[in-house]
Every structure is written in structure tokens, then in C-alpha cells.
Amino acid sequence: MKKKLRIIFVWTLVSLLLQYGAYSILNKKIEDVMAPVNNDSPITLQLKATIPGSDLTNVQISYAKDYLAYTEDGTLKVFNLTNEKVVFEKKPSSNDTSYGVLTYQWLPDRNTLLYFYAKKNPNPVTYVTVNPPKTITQAQNQQTQKQAQTQTQEPKSEDPNEKVSKEIPKSTIKETPKEVPAEPRVEKRYSNPQITELYSLELPNSDEDTPPDDRFNQTIEKFPSGGKIEELVVSTTTNLMYLTVKNDSSELLMEIDVMKNVRTLSKTGESIAAMAASDRYGTLYIDSKVGSTRQVVALAGTNRQIISKNTKDRVLGIRDGNVYIGEVKNNELVKIKTTPDLAQPKNNPSLKTVWDGAIPFDETVRTLIGAKGQVVIYDHQTAYVVTGGQLAKVDLHGDENYVSVDGAELIQLTKKGTSTLAELQPLNP
């Protein structure tokens, strides 16, 4: 009997160990798909490719550095740098320049491009038949009259228990008015004249012949007609997306979550100059201006906390648990400060100065925080890189120059007639 129990115990233990191992492997695979882990060493390439077209704008390089997304003549294009060919195009749905691709952005941890697409609503006005209200029927009128014509009154006879019915003259009966049935009516309903949609374009490895997977995600119902997306930031860990939208009458800060819910977070009359989303908690940090008040503010949902009341402070970016804030005076970045990226931001946290000096800083420069915590400020001629409190200057040689979002790759574009030569190389300060 003891031998049988030992055998059962051993096989039960073996079964549990096998199940645990299988579940661990499955869980790891699911984590790799749902939340890919950023490589500590960003991918860098060194190559040259010729792109057809000479008027490329809003150039962005993919996570693996093998695809370029850009706009040419209002059309979004994705170019395979390995095979040197255009693998995807998205044209406007009409000749109206207000429609088409509004903005796009690569996800920082995979070769997926998010883009917003606007098209004209074919049915901005619809007509709805409204049914009439319920009416009083003729049978109901007759029943009401019959009840009114007979009333029970106390008799004047000697028998107090005797009741008589007294007929009321018809002239004294108030007849219930008949309600004339109303005819069904048609009402005009107005909807948004613009349909705005969110897509995700998933690209295969650049050495594969598999076509991209262009997926429709959702329609953004509350998107204002004629709105232009000024900025778009994504927190991949929390699957939160933030965008600032401007049209002729308003400016909105919108949030889209993983459940496809859309809500507006901005205050009335608020203008947002820059923003960055936490790569850990999804908290949004913005340069907020309401009237004459300018502040750096953290938003966790609708909860707001003031990070800095200094009107000269600007959000530079977020990376690995640190929020980077720059102090700008007279179009120069004179100081870089950091504060921890907390799950629950607090009002007026302490700001630690990690660099001071002078870097040209106006509306033409672009700013990012690299994978190694380096702060990169650049335009089409020069890149300034602050690493560990030390400043390095890099001269750029293309007609137009771009830096990948991880700060590791430099993309130099040089026009060659009707084509553009793209040269990729690591950004080494």
C-alpha cells in the first residue's frame, strides 16, 4: 500500500512540474507578444538607399531601422530600406487637402505604424421619420361619456338604504375631446461631416515578401471636423494614446485607451505646447498654458498635479523612470532638470539639475530622450547631445536630417534630382 502511495505521489509531482514548465513557457510567449521588452542596446544600421521622390516630409524610421515612413504629395508612404522599394501607400480619399492621413507614428518597440485617416462623411445629413404620439380612441371616449351620464346620489325617500340613479342632462356632460392623430413627420439630423479613423500598419521583417497588414482599429467619433493633429504620443506599456487636435475654433487634448474609449482631458481655453507620456505608468506630462499662466502639469486620467510653476520650464521627454524638464531663456536651453516618474505624481516635486549651459532652442528644433538617457536637441544642421552632464555637438551633412526616437540612428537625406539618397549611420557624439 505504501509503495502505491509513493508511486502516485511521484507521478503527481512529475505532472505538476511538467504543467508548471509548460505554463511558464506559454506565459513568456504571451508576454513577448503583448509587451515586448526593449533591447538595452538599440538597433543601429549603416546603409545607403535611393528613395523615389524629392519632396519627402515628416520622415520617421521604424524600430528595427529597416523602414522609413514619410509623406509625399499628401500620400503616406512606407519604404523598405533593405529592398529599396515602396511597400505601402495611403492616398487621400478626395482632392480636398483637409482629408487623408492626419499624422502617424511608429511604435517604439516593434515595426508597427499607427496612423489617423480622415475622409468626407458621405451622409452628413440624414432624415428620420418620427412616429406620432398615442391618441385617445373613440371607444375610450364612449366609455368616458357613459360613466359621466350616470351618477349615484343620496335619495330623498324615507328609506335611507334606498339609492336611486339620477340621469344628468346631456347638456351638462363635459365630453372628453377627441385627439386628432398626428401624421408621421420627418426630422433632419446632422452628424460630423468628417469621418476620422485610426489604423495600425504592421510590417514584416524587411527581407520577407509578405505584404504589410493594414488594420482598421476604430472610428474616433468625437474628433472635431477640420482638426489637425499637432502632437501624438503613445505609452505602449499601458496602451494609452494622447493627441492634441486644433481647428479654427478650439484646441483639444484627447485620450484613447485600450478599450477604444475616447475622452477629452484639456481645460477650456488651454493651449498645449509639448507633451510626453510615461513609458511606465501612462501619465501624461504637458506644457500647459491657460491665459497668462504657463505650467508643467502631470495628468493621470483627469487628476492633475503641477510639476513646475516656472513659466520658462518645458517638458523635454521621459525615459526609464525620469521626467526631463528644460529651462528656456531667450531661445536658449540653459538648464536640464529631472524628477522621478511616479505612479502617483505629486504637486511641486523636487527638480534635480543635471546640466546647465546654452543650446539654441526655438520652434524649429526637435527634442528626444535616447535609450541611454541622453538628451538630443537637433535641427537639420546640428545635433546637440547631453550625456551624463556632458555636451557634445554633431554637425549634420544631409539636406535634411532626422534622429530615431531611441537617439541611436542618424538619417541623412540628400536630394538627387527626382530622387532622395538616404544614408543611415549611428549617431555618435
Coordinates of all heavy atoms in Angstrom, one line a residue, residues 136-223:
I136 N -56.2 59.2 -28.1 CA -57.4 58.6 -27.4 C -58.3 58.0 -28.4 O -58.8 58.7 -29.3 CB -58.1 59.7 -26.5 CG1 -57.1 60.2 -25.5 CG2 -59.3 59.1 -25.9 CD1 -57.7 61.3 -24.7
T137 N -58.7 56.8 -28.3 CA -59.6 56.1 -29.3 C -61.0 56.5 -29.1 O -61.4 57.0 -28.0 CB -59.4 54.6 -29.2 OG1 -59.9 54.2 -27.9 CG2 -58.0 54.2 -29.4
Q138 N -61.9 56.2 -30.1 CA -63.3 56.5 -30.0 C -64.0 55.7 -28.9 O -64.9 56.1 -28.2 CB -64.0 56.3 -31.3 CG -65.4 56.7 -31.4 CD -66.0 56.5 -32.8 OE1 -65.4 56.0 -33.7 NE2 -67.3 56.9 -32.9
A139 N -63.5 54.4 -28.8 CA -64.1 53.6 -27.7 C -63.8 54.1 -26.3 O -64.7 54.1 -25.4 CB -63.5 52.2 -27.8
Q140 N -62.6 54.7 -26.1 CA -62.3 55.3 -24.8 C -63.2 56.5 -24.6 O -63.7 56.8 -23.5 CB -60.9 55.7 -24.8 CG -59.9 54.6 -24.7 CD -58.5 55.0 -24.8 OE1 -58.1 55.9 -25.6 NE2 -57.6 54.5 -24.0
N141 N -63.5 57.3 -25.6 CA -64.4 58.5 -25.5 C -65.8 58.0 -25.1 O -66.5 58.6 -24.2 CB -64.5 59.2 -26.8 CG -63.5 60.4 -26.8 OD1 -63.4 61.1 -25.8 ND2 -62.9 60.6 -27.9
Q142 N -66.3 57.0 -25.7 CA -67.7 56.5 -25.4 C -67.8 56.0 -24.0 O -68.8 56.2 -23.3 CB -68.1 55.4 -26.4 CG -68.3 55.9 -27.8 CD -68.5 54.8 -28.8 OE1 -68.4 53.6 -28.5 NE2 -68.9 55.1 -30.1
Q143 N -66.8 55.3 -23.5 CA -66.8 54.7 -22.2 C -66.7 55.9 -21.2 O -67.4 55.9 -20.1 CB -65.5 53.8 -22.0 CG -65.4 53.2 -20.6 CD -66.6 52.3 -20.3 OE1 -67.1 51.7 -21.2 NE2 -66.9 52.1 -19.0
T144 N -66.0 56.9 -21.5 CA -65.9 58.1 -20.6 C -67.3 58.8 -20.5 O -67.7 59.2 -19.4 CB -64.9 59.1 -21.1 OG1 -63.6 58.4 -21.2 CG2 -64.7 60.3 -20.2
Q145 N -68.0 58.9 -21.6 CA -69.3 59.6 -21.6 C -70.3 58.7 -20.8 O -71.1 59.3 -20.1 CB -69.8 59.7 -23.1 CG -69.0 60.8 -23.9 CD -69.4 60.8 -25.3 OE1 -70.5 60.4 -25.6 NE2 -68.6 61.4 -26.2
K146 N -70.3 57.4 -21.0 CA -71.2 56.6 -20.3 C -71.1 56.7 -18.8 O -72.0 56.7 -18.0 CB -71.0 55.1 -20.7 CG -72.0 54.1 -20.1 CD -71.8 52.8 -20.7 CE -72.8 51.8 -20.1 NZ -72.6 50.4 -20.6
Q147 N -69.8 56.7 -18.3 CA -69.6 56.9 -16.9 C -70.0 58.2 -16.4 O -70.5 58.4 -15.3 CB -68.1 56.7 -16.6 CG -67.6 55.3 -16.9 CD -66.1 55.2 -16.7 OE1 -65.4 56.2 -16.5 NE2 -65.6 53.9 -16.8
A148 N -69.9 59.3 -17.2 CA -70.3 60.6 -16.8 C -71.8 60.8 -16.7 O -72.3 61.7 -16.0 CB -69.7 61.6 -17.7
Q149 N -72.6 60.0 -17.6 CA -74.0 60.3 -17.7 C -74.8 59.7 -16.4 O -75.9 60.1 -16.2 CB -74.5 59.6 -18.9 CG -74.1 60.4 -20.2 CD -74.5 59.6 -21.5 OE1 -75.1 58.6 -21.4 NE2 -74.2 60.2 -22.6
T150 N -74.2 58.8 -15.7 CA -74.9 58.2 -14.6 C -74.1 58.5 -13.3 O -72.9 58.1 -13.3 CB -75.0 56.6 -14.8 OG1 -75.7 56.4 -16.0 CG2 -75.8 56.0 -13.6
Q151 N -74.7 59.1 -12.4 CA -74.1 59.4 -11.1 C -75.0 58.9 -10.0 O -76.2 58.9 -10.0 CB -73.9 60.9 -10.9 CG -72.9 61.5 -11.9 CD -72.7 63.0 -11.6 OE1 -73.3 63.5 -10.7 NE2 -71.9 63.6 -12.5
T152 N -74.4 58.4 -8.9 CA -75.1 57.9 -7.8 C -75.3 59.0 -6.7 O -74.3 59.6 -6.4 CB -74.3 56.7 -7.1 OG1 -74.2 55.7 -8.1 CG2 -75.1 56.2 -5.9
Q153 N -76.5 59.3 -6.4 CA -76.8 60.3 -5.4 C -77.6 59.8 -4.2 O -78.3 58.8 -4.3 CB -77.6 61.5 -6.1 CG -76.8 62.2 -7.2 CD -77.6 63.3 -7.8 OE1 -78.8 63.4 -7.5 NE2 -76.9 64.1 -8.5
E154 N -77.6 60.5 -3.1 CA -78.4 60.1 -2.0 C -79.9 60.4 -2.2 O -80.2 61.6 -2.6 CB -77.9 60.9 -0.7 CG -76.5 60.5 -0.3 CD -76.5 59.0 0.2 OE1 -77.5 58.5 0.7 OE2 -75.4 58.4 0.0
P155 N -80.8 59.5 -2.0 CA -82.3 59.8 -2.3 C -82.9 60.6 -1.2 O -82.4 60.7 -0.1 CB -82.8 58.3 -2.3 CG -81.9 57.6 -1.3 CD -80.6 58.2 -1.5
K156 N -84.0 61.2 -1.6 CA -84.8 61.9 -0.6 C -86.0 61.1 0.0 O -86.9 61.6 0.6 CB -85.3 63.2 -1.2 CG -84.2 64.2 -1.6 CD -84.8 65.5 -2.2 CE -83.7 66.4 -2.5 NZ -84.2 67.7 -3.1
S157 N -86.0 59.8 -0.4 CA -87.1 58.9 0.1 C -86.9 58.6 1.6 O -85.9 58.9 2.2 CB -87.1 57.6 -0.7 OG -85.9 56.9 -0.5
E158 N -87.9 57.9 2.2 CA -87.9 57.6 3.6 C -86.9 56.5 3.9 O -86.4 56.4 5.0 CB -89.3 57.2 4.1 CG -90.3 58.4 4.0 CD -91.7 57.9 4.4 OE1 -91.8 56.7 4.7 OE2 -92.6 58.8 4.5
D159 N -86.7 55.6 2.9 CA -85.7 54.5 3.2 C -84.3 55.0 3.0 O -83.9 55.3 1.9 CB -86.1 53.4 2.2 CG -85.2 52.1 2.6 OD1 -84.3 52.2 3.5 OD2 -85.4 51.1 1.9
P160 N -83.6 55.1 4.1 CA -82.2 55.6 3.9 C -81.3 54.7 3.2 O -80.2 55.1 2.7 CB -81.7 55.8 5.4 CG -82.5 54.8 6.2 CD -83.9 54.7 5.5
N161 N -81.7 53.4 3.1 CA -80.8 52.4 2.4 C -81.1 52.4 0.9 O -80.5 51.6 0.1 CB -81.0 51.0 3.0 CG -80.5 51.0 4.4 OD1 -79.5 51.5 4.7 ND2 -81.3 50.4 5.3
E162 N -82.2 53.1 0.4 CA -82.5 53.0 -1.0 C -81.7 54.1 -1.7 O -81.6 55.2 -1.3 CB -84.0 53.3 -1.1 CG -84.5 53.2 -2.6 CD -86.0 53.6 -2.7 OE1 -86.6 53.8 -1.7 OE2 -86.4 53.6 -3.8
K163 N -81.2 53.6 -2.8 CA -80.4 54.5 -3.7 C -81.0 54.6 -5.1 O -81.6 53.6 -5.6 CB -78.9 54.0 -3.9 CG -78.1 54.1 -2.6 CD -76.7 53.7 -2.8 CE -75.9 53.8 -1.5 NZ -74.5 53.3 -1.7
V164 N -81.1 55.8 -5.6 CA -81.6 55.9 -6.9 C -80.6 56.5 -7.8 O -79.7 57.2 -7.4 CB -82.9 56.9 -6.8 CG1 -84.0 56.2 -6.0 CG2 -82.5 58.2 -6.3
S165 N -80.8 56.3 -9.1 CA -79.9 56.8 -10.1 C -80.6 58.0 -10.7 O -81.7 57.9 -11.1 CB -79.5 55.8 -11.2 OG -78.8 54.7 -10.6
K166 N -79.9 59.1 -10.8 CA -80.4 60.3 -11.4 C -79.6 60.5 -12.7 O -78.4 60.6 -12.7 CB -80.3 61.4 -10.5 CG -80.8 62.7 -11.0 CD -80.7 63.9 -10.0 CE -81.2 65.1 -10.6 NZ -81.0 66.3 -9.7
E167 N -80.4 60.7 -13.8 CA -79.8 60.9 -15.1 C -79.4 62.4 -15.2 O -80.3 63.2 -15.0 CB -80.7 60.4 -16.2 CG -80.0 60.5 -17.6 CD -80.8 59.7 -18.6 OE1 -81.3 58.6 -18.4 OE2 -81.1 60.3 -19.7
I168 N -78.2 62.6 -15.6 CA -77.8 64.0 -15.7 C -78.0 64.4 -17.2 O -77.8 63.7 -18.1 CB -76.3 64.1 -15.4 CG1 -75.9 63.5 -14.1 CG2 -75.8 65.6 -15.5 CD1 -76.7 64.2 -12.9
P169 N -78.6 65.6 -17.4 CA -78.9 66.1 -18.8 C -77.6 66.1 -19.6 O -76.5 66.4 -19.1 CB -79.4 67.5 -18.6 CG -79.9 67.5 -17.2 CD -79.1 66.5 -16.4
K170 N -77.7 65.7 -20.8 CA -76.6 65.6 -21.7 C -75.9 66.9 -21.9 O -74.7 67.0 -22.1 CB -77.0 65.0 -23.1 CG -77.4 63.6 -23.0 CD -77.7 63.1 -24.4 CE -78.0 61.6 -24.4 NZ -78.3 61.1 -25.8
S171 N -76.7 68.0 -21.7 CA -76.1 69.3 -21.9 C -75.1 69.6 -20.9 O -74.2 70.5 -21.1 CB -77.2 70.4 -21.9 OG -77.9 70.3 -20.7
T172 N -75.2 68.9 -19.7 CA -74.2 69.2 -18.6 C -73.0 68.3 -18.6 O -72.1 68.5 -17.8 CB -74.9 69.1 -17.2 OG1 -75.3 67.7 -17.1 CG2 -76.1 70.0 -17.1
I173 N -72.9 67.4 -19.5 CA -71.8 66.4 -19.6 C -70.7 67.1 -20.4 O -70.9 67.6 -21.5 CB -72.2 65.1 -20.3 CG1 -73.3 64.4 -19.5 CG2 -71.0 64.2 -20.5 CD1 -73.8 63.2 -20.2
K174 N -69.5 67.1 -19.8 CA -68.3 67.6 -20.5 C -67.7 66.5 -21.2 O -67.1 65.6 -20.7 CB -67.3 68.2 -19.5 CG -66.2 68.9 -20.1 CD -65.3 69.5 -19.1 CE -64.2 70.3 -19.7 NZ -63.2 70.9 -18.7
E175 N -67.8 66.5 -22.5 CA -67.3 65.5 -23.4 C -65.8 65.5 -23.5 O -65.2 66.6 -23.7 CB -68.0 65.6 -24.8 CG -67.6 64.4 -25.6 CD -68.4 64.4 -26.9 OE1 -69.6 64.9 -26.9 OE2 -67.9 64.0 -28.0
T176 N -65.2 64.4 -23.3 CA -63.7 64.3 -23.5 C -63.4 64.6 -24.9 O -63.9 63.9 -25.8 CB -63.2 62.9 -23.1 OG1 -63.6 62.6 -21.8 CG2 -61.7 62.8 -23.2
P177 N -62.5 65.6 -25.2 CA -62.2 65.9 -26.5 C -61.4 64.8 -27.2 O -60.6 64.2 -26.6 CB -61.4 67.2 -26.4 CG -60.8 67.1 -25.0 CD -61.8 66.4 -24.2
K178 N -61.8 64.6 -28.5 CA -61.0 63.6 -29.3 C -59.7 64.3 -29.7 O -59.6 65.4 -30.1 CB -61.8 63.2 -30.5 CG -63.0 62.4 -30.1 CD -63.7 61.9 -31.4 CE -64.9 61.0 -31.1 NZ -65.6 60.5 -32.3
E179 N -58.7 63.4 -29.7 CA -57.3 63.9 -30.1 C -57.1 63.4 -31.5 O -57.3 62.3 -31.9 CB -56.2 63.3 -29.2 CG -54.9 64.0 -29.3 CD -54.0 63.5 -28.3 OE1 -54.3 63.5 -27.1 OE2 -52.9 63.0 -28.7
V180 N -56.9 64.4 -32.4 CA -56.7 64.1 -33.8 C -55.4 63.4 -34.0 O -54.3 64.0 -33.6 CB -56.8 65.4 -34.7 CG1 -56.7 65.0 -36.1 CG2 -58.2 66.0 -34.4
P181 N -55.3 62.2 -34.6 CA -54.0 61.6 -34.8 C -53.1 62.4 -35.6 O -53.5 63.0 -36.7 CB -54.4 60.3 -35.5 CG -55.8 60.1 -35.2 CD -56.4 61.4 -35.0
A182 N -51.8 62.6 -35.2 CA -50.8 63.4 -35.9 C -50.2 62.5 -37.0 O -50.0 61.3 -36.8 CB -49.8 63.9 -35.0
E183 N -49.9 63.2 -38.1 CA -49.2 62.5 -39.2 C -47.7 62.3 -38.8 O -47.1 63.2 -38.2 CB -49.3 63.3 -40.5 CG -50.8 63.4 -41.0 CD -51.3 62.1 -41.5 OE1 -50.4 61.2 -41.9 OE2 -52.5 61.8 -41.5
P184 N -47.1 61.2 -39.2 CA -45.7 61.0 -39.0 C -44.9 62.1 -39.7 O -45.3 62.6 -40.8 CB -45.4 59.7 -39.7 CG -46.7 58.9 -39.7 CD -47.7 60.0 -39.9
R185 N -43.9 62.6 -39.0 CA -43.1 63.7 -39.6 C -41.6 63.3 -39.8 O -41.2 62.4 -39.1 CB -43.2 65.0 -38.7 CG -42.5 64.8 -37.3 CD -42.6 66.1 -36.5 NE -41.9 66.0 -35.3 CZ -42.3 65.5 -34.1 NH1 -43.6 64.9 -34.1 NH2 -41.6 65.5 -33.0
V186 N -41.0 64.0 -40.6 CA -39.6 63.7 -41.0 C -38.7 64.8 -40.4 O -39.0 66.0 -40.6 CB -39.4 63.6 -42.5 CG1 -37.9 63.4 -42.8 CG2 -40.2 62.5 -43.1
E187 N -37.7 64.4 -39.6 CA -36.8 65.3 -39.0 C -35.4 65.2 -39.6 O -35.0 64.1 -39.9 CB -36.7 65.1 -37.5 CG -38.0 65.5 -36.7 CD -37.8 65.5 -35.2 OE1 -36.7 65.0 -34.8 OE2 -38.7 65.8 -34.5
K188 N -34.7 66.3 -39.7 CA -33.4 66.4 -40.2 C -32.4 66.2 -39.1 O -32.4 66.9 -38.1 CB -33.1 67.7 -41.0 CG -31.8 67.7 -41.7 CD -31.6 69.1 -42.4 CE -32.5 69.3 -43.5 NZ -32.2 70.6 -44.3
R189 N -31.4 65.3 -39.2 CA -30.4 65.1 -38.2 C -29.0 65.3 -38.8 O -28.7 64.9 -40.0 CB -30.4 63.6 -37.7 CG -31.8 63.2 -37.1 CD -32.0 63.8 -35.8 NE -33.3 63.6 -35.2 CZ -33.7 62.5 -34.6 NH1 -32.9 61.6 -34.4 NH2 -35.0 62.4 -34.2
Y190 N -28.2 66.0 -38.1 CA -26.8 66.4 -38.6 C -25.8 65.6 -37.8 O -25.8 65.4 -36.6 CB -26.6 67.9 -38.4 CG -27.5 68.8 -39.1 CD1 -28.7 69.2 -38.6 CD2 -27.2 69.2 -40.4 CE1 -29.6 70.1 -39.3 CE2 -28.0 70.0 -41.2 CZ -29.2 70.4 -40.6 OH -30.1 71.2 -41.3
S191 N -24.8 65.1 -38.5 CA -23.6 64.4 -37.9 C -22.3 65.0 -38.4 O -22.3 66.0 -39.2 CB -23.7 62.9 -38.3 OG -23.7 62.8 -39.8
N192 N -21.2 64.5 -37.9 CA -19.9 65.1 -38.2 C -19.6 65.0 -39.7 O -19.7 63.9 -40.3 CB -18.8 64.4 -37.4 CG -17.5 65.1 -37.4 OD1 -17.2 65.8 -38.3 ND2 -16.8 65.0 -36.3
P193 N -19.3 66.1 -40.4 CA -19.1 66.0 -41.8 C -17.8 65.2 -42.2 O -17.5 64.9 -43.3 CB -19.0 67.4 -42.3 CG -18.7 68.2 -41.1 CD -19.3 67.5 -39.9
Q194 N -17.0 64.9 -41.1 CA -15.7 64.3 -41.3 C -15.7 62.9 -40.5 O -16.1 62.9 -39.4 CB -14.5 65.1 -40.9 CG -13.2 64.5 -40.9 CD -12.1 65.4 -40.4 OE1 -11.9 66.5 -41.0 NE2 -11.3 65.0 -39.5
I195 N -15.2 61.9 -41.2 CA -15.0 60.6 -40.5 C -13.5 60.4 -40.3 O -12.7 60.5 -41.2 CB -15.6 59.4 -41.4 CG1 -17.1 59.6 -41.6 CG2 -15.2 58.1 -40.7 CD1 -17.7 58.5 -42.5
T196 N -13.2 60.2 -39.0 CA -11.7 60.1 -38.6 C -11.5 58.7 -38.1 O -12.2 58.3 -37.2 CB -11.3 61.1 -37.6 OG1 -11.7 62.4 -38.1 CG2 -9.8 61.1 -37.3
E197 N -10.5 58.0 -38.7 CA -10.3 56.6 -38.3 C -8.9 56.4 -37.9 O -7.9 57.1 -38.3 CB -10.6 55.7 -39.5 CG -12.0 55.8 -40.0 CD -12.3 55.1 -41.3 OE1 -11.3 55.0 -42.1 OE2 -13.4 54.6 -41.6
L198 N -8.7 55.4 -37.0 CA -7.4 55.0 -36.5 C -7.0 53.6 -37.1 O -7.8 52.7 -37.0 CB -7.3 54.9 -35.0 CG -6.1 54.4 -34.3 CD1 -4.8 55.2 -34.7 CD2 -6.3 54.3 -32.8
Y199 N -5.8 53.5 -37.7 CA -5.3 52.3 -38.3 C -4.0 51.9 -37.6 O -3.2 52.8 -37.1 CB -5.1 52.4 -39.8 CG -6.4 52.5 -40.6 CD1 -7.0 53.7 -40.7 CD2 -6.9 51.4 -41.2 CE1 -8.2 53.8 -41.5 CE2 -8.1 51.5 -42.0 CZ -8.7 52.7 -42.1 OH -9.8 52.8 -42.9
S200 N -3.6 50.6 -37.7 CA -2.3 50.2 -37.3 C -1.8 49.3 -38.5 O -2.4 48.4 -39.0 CB -2.3 49.3 -36.1 OG -3.2 48.2 -36.2
L201 N -0.6 49.7 -39.0 CA 0.1 49.1 -40.1 C 1.2 48.2 -39.5 O 2.2 48.8 -39.0 CB 0.6 50.1 -41.1 CG 1.3 49.5 -42.3 CD1 0.2 48.9 -43.3 CD2 2.0 50.6 -43.1
E202 N 1.1 46.9 -39.7 CA 2.1 46.0 -39.1 C 3.0 45.5 -40.3 O 2.5 45.0 -41.3 CB 1.5 44.8 -38.4 CG 0.6 45.3 -37.2 CD 0.2 44.1 -36.4 OE1 0.6 43.0 -36.6 OE2 -0.7 44.3 -35.5
L203 N 4.3 45.7 -40.1 CA 5.3 45.4 -41.2 C 6.0 44.1 -40.8 O 6.4 43.9 -39.7 CB 6.3 46.5 -41.4 CG 5.9 47.8 -42.1 CD1 5.5 47.5 -43.6 CD2 4.8 48.6 -41.5
P204 N 6.2 43.2 -41.8 CA 7.0 42.0 -41.6 C 8.5 42.4 -41.6 O 8.9 43.5 -41.7 CB 6.7 41.2 -42.8 CG 6.4 42.2 -43.9 CD 5.8 43.3 -43.2
N205 N 9.3 41.4 -41.3 CA 10.8 41.6 -41.5 C 11.1 42.1 -42.9 O 10.5 41.7 -43.9 CB 11.5 40.3 -41.2 CG 11.4 39.9 -39.8 OD1 11.3 40.7 -38.9 ND2 11.5 38.6 -39.5
S206 N 12.0 43.0 -43.0 CA 12.3 43.7 -44.3 C 12.8 42.8 -45.3 O 12.7 43.1 -46.5 CB 13.3 44.8 -44.0 OG 14.5 44.3 -43.5
D207 N 13.3 41.6 -45.0 CA 13.7 40.6 -46.0 C 12.7 39.6 -46.4 O 12.9 38.7 -47.2 CB 15.0 39.8 -45.5 CG 14.7 39.1 -44.2 OD1 13.5 39.3 -43.6 OD2 15.6 38.4 -43.7
E208 N 11.4 39.9 -46.0 CA 10.3 39.0 -46.4 C 9.5 39.7 -47.4 O 9.4 40.9 -47.6 CB 9.4 38.7 -45.1 CG 10.1 37.9 -44.0 CD 9.2 37.7 -42.8 OE1 8.0 38.0 -42.9 OE2 9.7 37.2 -41.8
D209 N 8.8 38.8 -48.2 CA 7.9 39.4 -49.3 C 6.4 39.5 -48.8 O 5.6 39.8 -49.6 CB 7.9 38.4 -50.5 CG 9.3 38.5 -51.2 OD1 9.9 39.5 -51.1 OD2 9.7 37.4 -51.7
T210 N 6.2 39.2 -47.5 CA 4.8 39.3 -47.0 C 4.4 40.8 -47.0 O 5.1 41.7 -46.6 CB 4.8 38.8 -45.6 OG1 5.3 37.5 -45.5 CG2 3.3 38.8 -45.0
P211 N 3.2 41.1 -47.6 CA 2.7 42.5 -47.6 C 2.3 42.9 -46.2 O 2.0 42.1 -45.3 CB 1.4 42.4 -48.5 CG 1.0 41.0 -48.4 CD 2.2 40.1 -48.2
P212 N 2.4 44.2 -46.0 CA 2.0 44.8 -44.7 C 0.6 44.5 -44.3 O -0.3 44.3 -45.2 CB 2.2 46.3 -44.8 CG 3.1 46.4 -46.0 CD 2.8 45.3 -46.9
D213 N 0.3 44.4 -43.1 CA -1.1 44.2 -42.6 C -1.7 45.5 -42.1 O -1.4 46.0 -41.1 CB -1.1 43.1 -41.4 CG -2.5 42.7 -41.0 OD1 -3.5 43.2 -41.6 OD2 -2.6 42.1 -39.9
D214 N -2.6 46.0 -42.9 CA -3.2 47.3 -42.6 C -4.5 47.1 -41.9 O -5.5 46.6 -42.5 CB -3.4 48.1 -44.0 CG -3.9 49.5 -43.7 OD1 -3.6 50.1 -42.6 OD2 -4.6 50.1 -44.6
R215 N -4.6 47.4 -40.6 CA -5.7 47.0 -39.8 C -6.5 48.3 -39.4 O -5.9 49.2 -38.8 CB -5.3 46.3 -38.6 CG -4.6 44.9 -38.8 CD -4.3 44.2 -37.6 NE -3.7 42.9 -37.8 CZ -3.3 42.1 -36.8 NH1 -3.5 42.5 -35.5 NH2 -2.7 40.9 -37.1
F216 N -7.8 48.3 -39.6 CA -8.7 49.3 -39.1 C -8.9 49.0 -37.6 O -9.3 47.9 -37.2 CB -10.0 49.3 -39.8 CG -11.1 50.2 -39.2 CD1 -11.1 51.5 -39.3 CD2 -12.1 49.5 -38.4 CE1 -12.0 52.3 -38.7 CE2 -13.0 50.3 -37.8 CZ -13.0 51.7 -37.9
N217 N -8.7 50.1 -36.8 CA -8.9 49.9 -35.3 C -10.2 50.5 -34.9 O -11.0 49.8 -34.2 CB -7.8 50.6 -34.5 CG -6.5 49.8 -34.6 OD1 -6.5 48.6 -35.0 ND2 -5.4 50.3 -34.2
Q218 N -10.5 51.7 -35.1 CA -11.8 52.3 -34.7 C -12.0 53.7 -35.4 O -11.1 54.3 -35.9 CB -11.7 52.6 -33.2 CG -10.7 53.6 -32.7 CD -10.7 53.8 -31.2 OE1 -9.7 53.3 -30.6 NE2 -11.6 54.5 -30.7
T219 N -13.2 54.1 -35.3 CA -13.6 55.5 -35.7 C -13.6 56.4 -34.5 O -14.2 56.0 -33.5 CB -15.0 55.5 -36.4 OG1 -15.0 54.6 -37.5 CG2 -15.4 56.9 -36.8
I220 N -13.0 57.5 -34.6 CA -12.9 58.5 -33.5 C -14.1 59.4 -33.6 O -14.1 60.4 -34.4 CB -11.6 59.3 -33.5 CG1 -10.4 58.4 -33.7 CG2 -11.5 60.1 -32.2 CD1 -10.2 57.3 -32.7
E221 N -15.2 59.1 -32.9 CA -16.5 59.8 -33.0 C -16.4 61.3 -32.6 O -17.0 62.1 -33.2 CB -17.5 59.1 -32.2 CG -17.8 57.6 -32.5 CD -18.5 57.5 -33.9 OE1 -18.9 58.5 -34.4 OE2 -18.6 56.3 -34.4
K222 N -15.6 61.6 -31.6 CA -15.6 63.0 -31.1 C -14.5 63.8 -31.7 O -14.2 64.9 -31.3 CB -15.3 62.9 -29.6 CG -16.4 62.2 -28.8 CD -16.1 62.2 -27.3 CE -17.2 61.4 -26.5 NZ -16.9 61.4 -25.1
F223 N -13.9 63.4 -32.8 CA -12.9 64.1 -33.5 C -13.5 65.3 -34.2 O -14.4 65.2 -35.0 CB -12.1 63.3 -34.5 CG -10.8 63.8 -34.9 CD1 -9.6 63.5 -34.2 CD2 -10.7 64.8 -35.9 CE1 -8.4 64.0 -34.6 CE2 -9.5 65.3 -36.3 CZ -8.3 64.9 -35.6

